[in-house]
């Protein structure tokens, strides 16, 4: 009887050991997660990163890429090999000169990759701009897309093709990839007009050229047969 109980207990232990060894173990991004048969949860660190748009283009095809309002029009033959194009929103950019205002829509700026890519043909890049300036013709006339030159460490202007006021897009021509933004120039404030009344000068008195000039006092004869005079001396306080 006791022997039979011991054999059943050993068989139970063996069965449990085999079940444990058969459970799968998942490793994601070098992180091993706990797994059970009822609930399997995977930890993916890439989900915590900012979303990056990516698409592969080829030398033999033209391509139109759209991401969060950004549009890239790439003609056939712009690249000489298969290339993975990326578009990424930026949370910060290089400092702008004091005369420029960032007017990019949807983000503070955009990064196009692979960084530093040079195209064999010009491509068109359309960036969204701030809707708040859509009604200002002055602001729109000074609205351009700028790219950051890693060599000169300066923002430089792209050739503007068009401004779409209805879709809030600036389309420009470029032959390379880097960080890009839309900006307008800060214009000086114009002087304000004032009301002028011709009758406002009728009560003004004529100017006196001797006002403020010290006058001589005296020059009258006295009992001694002499004459004297005084000139006030004003000392600045």
């Amino acid at each position: 009887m006791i022997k039979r109980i011991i054999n059943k207990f050993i068989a139970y232990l063996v069965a449990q050991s085999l079940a444990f060894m058969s459970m799968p173990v998942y490793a994601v991004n070098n992180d091993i997660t706990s797994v059970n048969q009822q609930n399997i949860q995977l930890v993916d660190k890439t989900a915590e990163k900012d979303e990056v748009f990516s698409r592969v283009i080829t030398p033999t095809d033209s391509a139109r890429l759209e991401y969060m309002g950004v549009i890239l029009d790439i003609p056939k033959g712009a690249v000489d090999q298969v290339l993975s194009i990326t578009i990424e929103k930026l949370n910060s950019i290089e400092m702008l000169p004091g005369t420029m205002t960032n007017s990019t829509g949807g983000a503070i700026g955009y990064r196009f990759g692979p960084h530093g890519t040079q195209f064999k043909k010009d491509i068109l890049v359309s960036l969204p701009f701030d809707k708040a300036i859509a009604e200002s013709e002055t602001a729109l006339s000074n609205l351009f897309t700028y790219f950051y030159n890693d060599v000169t460490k300066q923002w430089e202007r792209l050739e503007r093709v068009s401004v779409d006021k209805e879709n809030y897009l600036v389309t420009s021509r470029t032959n390379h990839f880097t960080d890009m933004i839309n900006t307008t120039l800060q214009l000086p404030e114009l002087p304000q007009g004032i009301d002028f009344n011709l009758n406002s000068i009728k009560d003004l008195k004529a100017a006196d050229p001797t006002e403020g000039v010290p006058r001589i006092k005296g020059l009258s004869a006295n009992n001694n047969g002499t004459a004297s005079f005084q000139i006030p001396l004003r000392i600045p306080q």
Side-chain angles (χ1 to χ4, degrees), residues 12-24 37:
Y12 174 79
L13 291 179
V14 172
Q16 291 297 320
S17 299
L18 292 175
F20 179 80
M21 293 175 61
S22 64
M23 291 176 61
Q37 293 180 344

PDB file of all heavy atoms in Angstrom, residues 12-24 37:
ATOM      1  N   TYR A  12       3.617  11.836 -10.141  1.00  0.00           N
ATOM      2  CA  TYR A  12       3.098  13.220 -10.129  1.00  0.00           C
ATOM      3  C   TYR A  12       4.231  14.238 -10.272  1.00  0.00           C
ATOM      4  O   TYR A  12       4.148  15.207 -11.037  1.00  0.00           O
ATOM      5  CB  TYR A  12       2.314  13.458  -8.840  1.00  0.00           C
ATOM      6  CG  TYR A  12       1.862  14.892  -8.652  1.00  0.00           C
ATOM      7  CD1 TYR A  12       0.745  15.370  -9.319  1.00  0.00           C
ATOM      8  CD2 TYR A  12       2.566  15.758  -7.814  1.00  0.00           C
ATOM      9  CE1 TYR A  12       0.325  16.680  -9.156  1.00  0.00           C
ATOM     10  CE2 TYR A  12       2.149  17.057  -7.642  1.00  0.00           C
ATOM     11  CZ  TYR A  12       1.037  17.535  -8.313  1.00  0.00           C
ATOM     12  OH  TYR A  12       0.640  18.832  -8.149  1.00  0.00           O
ATOM     13  N   LEU A  13       5.330  14.033  -9.535  1.00  0.00           N
ATOM     14  CA  LEU A  13       6.472  14.948  -9.609  1.00  0.00           C
ATOM     15  C   LEU A  13       7.070  14.959 -11.005  1.00  0.00           C
ATOM     16  O   LEU A  13       7.454  16.007 -11.543  1.00  0.00           O
ATOM     17  CB  LEU A  13       7.522  14.544  -8.572  1.00  0.00           C
ATOM     18  CG  LEU A  13       7.148  14.749  -7.094  1.00  0.00           C
ATOM     19  CD1 LEU A  13       8.286  14.271  -6.190  1.00  0.00           C
ATOM     20  CD2 LEU A  13       6.836  16.213  -6.829  1.00  0.00           C
ATOM     21  N   VAL A  14       7.187  13.791 -11.624  1.00  0.00           N
ATOM     22  CA  VAL A  14       7.744  13.709 -12.978  1.00  0.00           C
ATOM     23  C   VAL A  14       6.854  14.441 -13.968  1.00  0.00           C
ATOM     24  O   VAL A  14       7.324  15.181 -14.847  1.00  0.00           O
ATOM     25  CB  VAL A  14       7.924  12.234 -13.384  1.00  0.00           C
ATOM     26  CG1 VAL A  14       8.305  12.141 -14.870  1.00  0.00           C
ATOM     27  CG2 VAL A  14       8.966  11.562 -12.516  1.00  0.00           C
ATOM     28  N   ALA A  15       5.543  14.286 -13.837  1.00  0.00           N
ATOM     29  CA  ALA A  15       4.607  14.955 -14.750  1.00  0.00           C
ATOM     30  C   ALA A  15       4.695  16.472 -14.614  1.00  0.00           C
ATOM     31  O   ALA A  15       4.675  17.212 -15.599  1.00  0.00           O
ATOM     32  CB  ALA A  15       3.180  14.465 -14.468  1.00  0.00           C
ATOM     33  N   GLN A  16       4.778  16.952 -13.371  1.00  0.00           N
ATOM     34  CA  GLN A  16       4.882  18.397 -13.153  1.00  0.00           C
ATOM     35  C   GLN A  16       6.186  18.943 -13.709  1.00  0.00           C
ATOM     36  O   GLN A  16       6.247  20.051 -14.270  1.00  0.00           O
ATOM     37  CB  GLN A  16       4.779  18.702 -11.652  1.00  0.00           C
ATOM     38  CG  GLN A  16       3.406  18.462 -11.060  1.00  0.00           C
ATOM     39  CD  GLN A  16       2.354  19.364 -11.678  1.00  0.00           C
ATOM     40  OE1 GLN A  16       2.605  20.531 -11.936  1.00  0.00           O
ATOM     41  NE2 GLN A  16       1.180  18.794 -11.952  1.00  0.00           N
ATOM     42  N   SER A  17       7.285  18.198 -13.574  1.00  0.00           N
ATOM     43  CA  SER A  17       8.581  18.639 -14.090  1.00  0.00           C
ATOM     44  C   SER A  17       8.557  18.737 -15.598  1.00  0.00           C
ATOM     45  O   SER A  17       9.065  19.685 -16.203  1.00  0.00           O
ATOM     46  CB  SER A  17       9.677  17.655 -13.626  1.00  0.00           C
ATOM     47  OG  SER A  17       9.759  17.631 -12.224  1.00  0.00           O
ATOM     48  N   LEU A  18       7.937  17.742 -16.252  1.00  0.00           N
ATOM     49  CA  LEU A  18       7.862  17.762 -17.715  1.00  0.00           C
ATOM     50  C   LEU A  18       6.994  18.921 -18.201  1.00  0.00           C
ATOM     51  O   LEU A  18       7.290  19.576 -19.217  1.00  0.00           O
ATOM     52  CB  LEU A  18       7.302  16.430 -18.224  1.00  0.00           C
ATOM     53  CG  LEU A  18       8.205  15.207 -18.026  1.00  0.00           C
ATOM     54  CD1 LEU A  18       7.474  13.943 -18.459  1.00  0.00           C
ATOM     55  CD2 LEU A  18       9.504  15.373 -18.816  1.00  0.00           C
ATOM     56  N   ALA A  19       5.909  19.226 -17.492  1.00  0.00           N
ATOM     57  CA  ALA A  19       5.029  20.335 -17.882  1.00  0.00           C
ATOM     58  C   ALA A  19       5.756  21.663 -17.762  1.00  0.00           C
ATOM     59  O   ALA A  19       5.626  22.557 -18.600  1.00  0.00           O
ATOM     60  CB  ALA A  19       3.765  20.321 -17.013  1.00  0.00           C
ATOM     61  N   PHE A  20       6.553  21.813 -16.693  1.00  0.00           N
ATOM     62  CA  PHE A  20       7.302  23.057 -16.500  1.00  0.00           C
ATOM     63  C   PHE A  20       8.359  23.232 -17.577  1.00  0.00           C
ATOM     64  O   PHE A  20       8.565  24.328 -18.107  1.00  0.00           O
ATOM     65  CB  PHE A  20       7.941  23.044 -15.115  1.00  0.00           C
ATOM     66  CG  PHE A  20       8.755  24.275 -14.829  1.00  0.00           C
ATOM     67  CD1 PHE A  20       8.135  25.455 -14.443  1.00  0.00           C
ATOM     68  CD2 PHE A  20      10.145  24.260 -14.976  1.00  0.00           C
ATOM     69  CE1 PHE A  20       8.871  26.592 -14.190  1.00  0.00           C
ATOM     70  CE2 PHE A  20      10.869  25.407 -14.730  1.00  0.00           C
ATOM     71  CZ  PHE A  20      10.238  26.570 -14.329  1.00  0.00           C
ATOM     72  N   MET A  21       9.044  22.147 -17.946  1.00  0.00           N
ATOM     73  CA  MET A  21      10.106  22.225 -18.951  1.00  0.00           C
ATOM     74  C   MET A  21       9.539  22.517 -20.332  1.00  0.00           C
ATOM     75  O   MET A  21      10.222  23.078 -21.195  1.00  0.00           O
ATOM     76  CB  MET A  21      10.896  20.911 -18.977  1.00  0.00           C
ATOM     77  CG  MET A  21      11.695  20.661 -17.699  1.00  0.00           C
ATOM     78  SD  MET A  21      12.507  19.048 -17.703  1.00  0.00           S
ATOM     79  CE  MET A  21      13.560  19.217 -19.119  1.00  0.00           C
ATOM     80  N   SER A  22       8.294  22.169 -20.576  1.00  0.00           N
ATOM     81  CA  SER A  22       7.707  22.380 -21.901  1.00  0.00           C
ATOM     82  C   SER A  22       7.154  23.782 -22.079  1.00  0.00           C
ATOM     83  O   SER A  22       6.727  24.147 -23.179  1.00  0.00           O
ATOM     84  CB  SER A  22       6.583  21.362 -22.137  1.00  0.00           C
ATOM     85  OG  SER A  22       5.524  21.566 -21.208  1.00  0.00           O
ATOM     86  N   MET A  23       7.095  24.585 -21.026  1.00  0.00           N
ATOM     87  CA  MET A  23       6.577  25.951 -21.145  1.00  0.00           C
ATOM     88  C   MET A  23       7.545  26.807 -21.939  1.00  0.00           C
ATOM     89  O   MET A  23       8.755  26.801 -21.671  1.00  0.00           O
ATOM     90  CB  MET A  23       6.363  26.567 -19.750  1.00  0.00           C
ATOM     91  CG  MET A  23       5.224  25.936 -18.960  1.00  0.00           C
ATOM     92  SD  MET A  23       5.114  26.625 -17.298  1.00  0.00           S
ATOM     93  CE  MET A  23       4.795  28.332 -17.712  1.00  0.00           C
ATOM     94  N   PRO A  24       7.056  27.596 -22.927  1.00  0.00           N
ATOM     95  CA  PRO A  24       7.954  28.439 -23.732  1.00  0.00           C
ATOM     96  C   PRO A  24       8.442  29.639 -22.945  1.00  0.00           C
ATOM     97  O   PRO A  24       7.751  30.150 -22.075  1.00  0.00           O
ATOM     98  CB  PRO A  24       7.062  28.881 -24.908  1.00  0.00           C
ATOM     99  CG  PRO A  24       5.683  28.860 -24.346  1.00  0.00           C
ATOM    100  CD  PRO A  24       5.654  27.708 -23.379  1.00  0.00           C
ATOM    101  N   GLN A  37       0.310  29.663 -18.997  1.00  0.00           N
ATOM    102  CA  GLN A  37      -0.517  29.109 -20.052  1.00  0.00           C
ATOM    103  C   GLN A  37      -1.769  29.938 -20.296  1.00  0.00           C
ATOM    104  O   GLN A  37      -2.349  29.900 -21.375  1.00  0.00           O
ATOM    105  CB  GLN A  37      -0.907  27.663 -19.680  1.00  0.00           C
ATOM    106  CG  GLN A  37       0.279  26.713 -19.678  1.00  0.00           C
ATOM    107  CD  GLN A  37      -0.121  25.309 -19.302  1.00  0.00           C
ATOM    108  OE1 GLN A  37      -1.201  25.076 -18.771  1.00  0.00           O
ATOM    109  NE2 GLN A  37       0.762  24.363 -19.583  1.00  0.00           N
TER     110      GLN A  37
END
